[in-house]
Amino acid sequence: MEFHEKLQELRKSRGLTQEELAEALFVSRTAISKWESGKALPDSEKILAMANLFDVSTDFLLKDEQEPVFVDDEK
């Protein structure tokens, strides 16, 4: 699963709209749309923010892993 697919799945699993996610990450809704469509990638700061927001590892977001690695599971 690619980044854009994971992002969309995580956002929907949390019941967030693109607008709500954009507000949480301090970006535009258009940026979220581009990330979810695979037309653009966020910078490293936003990747870290998403990992914290969704409680997953950056490895999960960036690597081609199927199952999320939740940060709390690693402790």
Side-chain angles (χ1 to χ4, degrees):
M1 184 182 300
E2 295 184 25
F3 171 79
H4 68 276
E5 297 167 310
K6 291 177 188 179
L7 176 58
Q8 188 174 41
E9 187 175 288
L10 286 167
R11 176 182 60 78
K12 288 181 177 182
S13 74
R14 296 290 172 103
L16 296 172
T17 64
Q18 285 185 343
E19 185 68 37
E20 291 167 332
L21 180 57
E23 289 175 12
L25 297 174
F26 303 102
V27 298
S28 68
R29 190 210 50 82
T30 303
I32 301 297
S33 178
K34 287 180 181 179
W35 298 344
E36 288 188 357
S37 67
K39 293 180 181 176
L41 287 172
D43 62 28
S44 58
E45 180 181 310
K46 298 306 178 196
I47 294 284
L48 289 170
M50 282 184 257
N52 288 328
L53 177 68
F54 294 121
D55 196 28
V56 296
S57 69
T58 54
D59 279 353
F60 168 73
L61 289 173
L62 298 173
K63 292 183 179 180
D64 192 25
E65 297 175 5
Q66 294 298 319
E67 296 297 319
V69 177
F70 292 98
V71 175
D72 289 342
D73 292 345
E74 296 177 355
K75 292 180 184 175

